[in-house]
Amino acid sequence: MPVDLNNAQPLAWDSATLDADTKAMLDNLQPNILRAHVREHLSVLFVRFNDVKEGRAFLRHVATTKMKSARKHLEEVRDFAAKGRRGTPYVGVGISKAGYRDLGHSVEDLRKFGDKVFRDGMKRRIAEVNDPPVEMWERTYQREIHAVIMIGDAEPERVAALREEILGELPESARLLGEETGQGMRNPAGDGIEHFGYVDGRSQPLFVKDEVDKEPKKHWNPAFPLSNVLVPDPFAPNPVRHHGSYLVFRKLEQNVRAFKEIERDLADNLGLAGADRDRAGAMIVGRFRDGTPLTSKAKAGGGPVSNDFTFDDDGEGTKCPFSGHIRKTNPRSFGREVLMARRGQTYGERTDQPWDDSPPETRPSGEVGLLFMAFNGSLVSQFEFTQQSWANNPDFLNPATGHDPVIGQGARDIKVTFPKVWGKPEMSTPQAQVAQTVTMRGGEYFFAPSLAYLRNL
Ligand code: HEM
């Protein structure tokens, strides 16, 4: 029975009754798509091939000697939980449309990729998502990238060793165009955070039963069909069993100092005092720094970060503004098919503590940010739709909602209002939108093919 990508039931991947096609799918799928892989330390390599035969041989070698399947990853997670047995590192591969061409696929052949945006590549989509012109991107991303190789693990030494090994195996004809180094950051509670100091990566579409089972589900159903991230791999030996995923990569620099000034000024403007001052930043993100959703009034004392909420009892946006980053990127009452599996990692070294209350002057104004990565079943109707029709759209849901204050791109002309008191319809006077503090430095669209494709190159 072909794998039903639209089945909303979470995948019981280790069930004895799993059908043969689904088993084959898991044996041929890359890890980190259906379930996040540990990548506390991450090396991201951007490669150009220049020779069909050598490019193919290199990828085949990486796939057969260094890459594990989604099923192996799920087994490793289970064994770690049960026996504390450490898993193997993550190696993932994405190929751009230019890369497929350089590996010998014709333009005609490339039409088999249903996603037009992937066939265009990121450089040709600037106008649609209001990205900076390519001349402003970092040099690596201005060039024609053919493949991305992602290496992740909990231990930096294992990542460094694999990076060396893989670079040593690059053929003479290929070039390393550039690389990024990601490194996870955590707050004192142990939750992963991004550079503005907020818990990140908490809300995800979940696909496997073990993960779904652990979540409270009174308000929000975290289980999603595989179609949110998987499509048949058009060049694999058997696309009924062999799947891949569209991967968006964007280097997003964060001006932390400016963001912290904005938090302070917004709190001042709204006359917020004491603990309520934290609500300024929370209205920008939609969650407090510790991850507590702004639909709850204040920080909960300890406990796991909640994801079991909707905005249904906040129809006026007096708790969480409609512009809040998480409300824009997941309104929750609709648009479930838009949600991507985010698998990014922070980059850049800091000497300060991102989660504390130190003054803005002590914060970095550049050189740090997010290597945004997300797996999609469709780039055009998931990543691009989110960026274009939700984040960049000042009239999202209601007139004069404003841009997404975290990731919105484009002129922020209109004025906006904020609730002065949590949950009360008392709004501020119209004021300028908060300035943009996240800048796109470059990126590309890739397809993460099935292992079956890579092993058969
Ligand atoms: C959630 C920060 C870029 C889409 C979040 C959260 C934070 C955050 C703090 C809350 C944690 C969570 O709910 O998991 C940032 C920062 C970014 C960035 C600092 C850039 C530097 C993006 C981009 C997109 C995006 C480019 C997509 C176009 C989402 C989505 C969620 C989210 C879909 C989950 C919302 C939910 O399901 O409730 N982000 N983000 N983010 N972000 Fe971002």
Side-chain angles (χ1 to χ4, degrees):
M1 190 176 46
V3 183
D4 179 6
L5 299 181
N6 295 313
N7 186 347
Q9 288 304 313
L11 202 62
W13 63 274
D14 57 352
S15 147
T17 58
L18 202 66
D19 65 276
D21 280 324
T22 308
K23 272 189 192 147
M25 182 273 280
L26 287 171
D27 285 333
N28 287 282
L29 187 70
Q30 295 195 34
N32 200 31
I33 300 173
L34 294 185
R35 179 174 189 149
H37 194 288
V38 174
R39 53 198 190 293
E40 203 73 2
H41 294 271
L42 180 73
S43 172
V44 187
L45 310 175
F46 296 101
V47 172
R48 188 188 165 113
F49 296 123
N50 306 314
D51 180 280
V52 176
K53 229 171 125 214
E54 292 192 351
R56 286 182 161 244
F58 168 72
L59 286 181
R60 187 176 65 234
H61 178 75
V62 170
T64 45
T65 61
K66 301 190 170 57
M67 291 174 74
K68 65 185 164 199
S69 67
R71 185 217 290 278
K72 174 90 184 343
H73 174 226
L74 294 169
E75 284 169 359
E76 286 183 357
V77 174
R78 182 190 58 197
D79 292 351
F80 182 74
K83 302 169 204 149
R85 192 188 296 150
R86 195 171 71 155
T88 56
Y90 162 59
V91 178
V93 164
I95 304 174
S96 70
K97 69 110 203 291
Y100 274 104
R101 243 183 15 227
D102 207 69
L103 292 171
H105 293 282
S106 66
V107 174
E108 191 60 29
D109 238 11
L110 285 178
R111 294 220 179 88
K112 289 189 186 149
F113 284 107
D115 201 323
K116 175 187 174 313
V117 168
F118 170 73
R119 300 197 311 263
D120 280 345
M122 197 175 278
K123 295 186 183 81
R124 285 167 69 178
R125 302 295 299 176
I126 285 173
E128 283 75 8
V129 291
N130 267 322
D131 274 344
V134 177
E135 309 84 76
M136 307 280 288
W137 296 11
E138 287 179 10
R139 177 107 184 88
T140 299
Y141 305 101
Q142 293 189 23
R143 304 173 75 179
E144 189 179 88
I145 298 169
H146 289 166
V148 59
I149 301 166
M150 297 154 288
I151 309 162
D153 196 74
E155 313 287 337
E157 297 79 16
R158 292 173 105 194
V159 174
L162 256 174
R163 173 189 166 278
E164 281 294 307
E165 221 179 288
I166 289 175
L167 287 180
E169 290 162 356
L170 256 189
E172 281 283 302
S173 53
R175 288 277 167 280
L176 175 70
L177 298 179
E179 61 182 305
E180 301 290 351
T181 305
Q183 198 180 326
M185 303 190 302
R186 290 184 182 269
N187 64 15
D191 295 312
I193 56 171
E194 50 69 49
H195 278 285
F196 294 147
Y198 290 74
V199 168
D200 198 5
R202 172 64 182 95
S203 178
Q204 295 285 7
L206 303 181
F207 307 100
V208 294
K209 190 169 177 299
D210 346 16
E211 281 197 294
V212 172
D213 284 351
K214 280 196 220 125
E215 292 284 331
K217 303 176 227 0
K218 227 168 120 198
H219 307 284
W220 168 250
N221 175 11
F224 283 73
L226 298 173
S227 56
N228 275 61
V229 281
L230 296 193
V231 293
D233 180 347
F235 298 150
N238 181 357
V240 171
R241 294 181 154 194
H242 304 151
H243 296 76
S245 184
Y246 292 102
L247 167 69
V248 44
F249 176 92
R250 289 163 77 77
K251 184 173 187 183
L252 301 175
E253 188 176 51
Q254 293 174 252
N255 184 339
V256 182
R257 191 178 305 169
F259 185 89
K260 292 287 152 188
E261 283 165 0
I262 286 166
E263 281 183 333
R264 180 195 59 199
D265 295 349
L266 184 59
D268 288 348
N269 283 349
L270 299 177
L272 307 185
D276 199 33
R277 287 182 70 80
D278 284 348
R279 203 159 52 82
M283 286 195 286
I284 292 173
V285 173
R287 289 183 185 265
F288 288 93
R289 249 179 293 171
D290 69 358
T292 306
L294 187 49
T295 47
S296 309
K297 187 170 181 186
K299 299 177 189 181
V305 175
S306 168
N307 194 40
D308 188 19
F309 67 96
T310 65
F311 301 102
D312 291 353
D313 71 346
D314 186 24
E316 303 298 316
T318 57
K319 294 175 183 169
C320 179
F322 296 112
S323 61
H325 176 58
I326 67 158
R327 193 161 186 175
K328 276 256 188 178
T329 55
N330 183 7
R332 292 188 181 232
S333 56
F334 62 93
R336 287 177 65 85
E337 68 288 354
V338 179
L339 224 55
M340 309 159 257
R342 291 173 298 129
R343 301 289 186 253
Q345 187 51 284
T346 46
Y347 72 89
E349 299 280 327
R350 302 246 324 237
T351 46
D352 59 329
Q353 307 296 355
W355 64 82
D356 70 12
D357 288 320
S358 303
E361 312 82 80
T362 62
R363 306 300 192 176
S365 58
E367 308 281 305
V368 302
L370 181 67
L371 304 174
F372 179 80
M373 287 176 255
F375 289 106
N376 298 244
S378 160
L379 291 163
V380 71
S381 46
Q382 291 175 264
F383 164 69
E384 277 206 5
F385 183 84
T386 306
Q387 185 72 54
Q388 182 182 11
S389 303
W390 287 351
N392 296 356
N393 173 8
D395 296 321
F396 166 79
L397 285 183
N398 292 294
T401 291
H403 285 65
D404 180 322
V406 179
I407 61 160
Q409 302 188 137
R412 303 189 181 194
D413 305 329
I414 59 153
K415 298 204 163 182
V416 294
T417 57
F418 290 95
K420 285 170 79 170
V421 183
W422 184 87
K424 296 264 158 64
E426 198 186 322
M427 301 304 276
S428 71
T429 50
Q431 50 182 283
Q433 296 187 52
V434 307
Q436 191 177 325
T437 53
V438 170
T439 309
M440 191 266 199
R441 293 286 179 216
E444 189 51 282
Y445 292 138
F446 299 96
F447 187 73
S450 64
L451 294 174
Y453 168 79
L454 293 169
R455 288 177 185 140
N456 278 283
L457 275 171

